[in-house]
Amino acid sequence: AFAGAAAAGGHTSVSFGGAAKAEYNSLTGFITAAELTATGSATLDNGLTASTSITVDGVAGTVSAGDITLSSDTVAVTFGTGMNGAAFAAVGDEYAAQTGQDVEEKVDGMTATVTVGAATVYVSAPNLANIDTADLEFGVSAAVGDMTIAAATANSNFAVVGSVTVSGATLGFGMATDSVWDASISYPMGALTLSASTDEASAWIVGGSYAVSDALTAGIEYKSNAAADDTYEVTAAYAAGDAAFNAAFDGTDFSLSAGYTMG
């Protein structure tokens, strides 16, 4: 039916996407998964675009409806379940947790974004049938020149994160309720990149990485307040075509992984 509408009206479309995987490990054995998702969208007479999806889980044998979104060039409003709240969308996982909007606590209700110039405003409201102002979340992010900054508030808490590039060095910072903060610097010098970071617990981490070639990168990191057997870590990464190898050693444990992409 959707395909017929697309052919007739020219402003409705349906696309299909899916994935299947099989994996094995020595703890849980074989694990398989397969799903197919149909995504549909339509341009309404008022210029807004409406979209939604339906997903079929081939292993569980379930069919689930996706979120419903109305959007324009500058505004998007989504109604659904299991969505990230405004705080998470604005400042990310670590600092959203400081506002009370943990990544595991999804929003069931409405989320919205509004783009104004270089800034994006985020709003989310759970439980639309009975909205409590204490549950509303707000966020904003903006990029101005070499600086990016984002702020969020939820559950009467706040978080602010940002970064700026000065003379080739990238400075990062973050702060949130309960005197939580961190600061970092990264400075590239040709093939060598030096970095350092600290936080409210005075936990220093310093390190460096060196691009030996286009395929091989080596690095070392030192942690000031780590356990005695975890104060440093040496890493190496090698990529050759579709193959990739990674190794790490922290003075006690050695790890090695490899992968190959076959299209």
Side-chain angles (χ1 to χ4, degrees), residues 16-258:
F16 295 89
K21 69 176 182 179
E23 58 184 71
Y24 173 80
N25 63 66
S26 59
L27 296 177
T28 59
F30 283 101
I31 300 173
T32 59
E35 66 177 32
L36 175 68
T37 298
T39 301
S41 66
T43 302
L44 309 182
D45 293 337
N46 57 12
L48 294 177
T49 298
S51 61
T52 189
S53 63
I54 296 176
T55 298
V56 179
D57 189 319
V59 176
T62 59
V63 178
S64 57
D67 304 332
I68 299 174
T69 298
L70 296 173
S71 62
S72 67
D73 292 339
T74 58
V75 179
V77 181
T78 300
F79 304 88
T81 61
M83 300 180 294
N84 290 321
F88 179 91
V91 299
D93 183 2
E94 179 181 356
Y95 274 92
Q98 298 297 329
T99 68
Q101 207 280 288
D102 197 301
V103 64
E104 299 298 334
E105 298 175 0
K106 300 293 187 178
V107 173
D108 295 343
M110 180 272 291
T111 65
T113 61
V114 180
T115 302
V116 182
T120 300
V121 178
Y122 307 85
V123 181
S124 63
N127 190 15
L128 293 178
N130 184 22
I131 296 179
D132 188 335
T133 55
D135 294 330
L136 294 176
E137 298 181 17
F138 300 93
V140 61
S141 63
V144 181
D146 293 329
M147 182 176 184
T148 61
I149 190 167
T153 178
N155 301 292
S156 300
N157 299 314
F158 78 93
V160 179
V161 297
S163 67
V164 61
T165 301
V166 180
S167 300
T170 299
L171 308 176
F173 65 90
M175 63 185 70
T177 310
D178 298 329
S179 300
V180 173
W181 62 271
D182 71 60
S184 64
I185 182 171
S186 175
Y187 187 68
M189 298 183 295
L192 175 65
T193 299
L194 301 177
S195 61
S197 65
T198 188
D199 59 20
E200 74 280 356
S202 298
W204 279 95
I205 300 176
V206 295
S209 64
Y210 184 79
V212 181
S213 65
D214 292 339
L216 177 62
T217 301
I220 185 169
E221 187 176 82
Y222 173 80
K223 305 174 185 178
S224 66
N225 68 340
D229 59 352
D230 190 31
T231 55
Y232 75 91
E233 183 177 47
V234 179
T235 60
Y238 181 78
D242 294 324
F245 305 89
N246 292 276
F249 178 68
D250 63 5
T252 302
D253 298 316
F254 176 79
S255 64
L256 177 67
S257 64

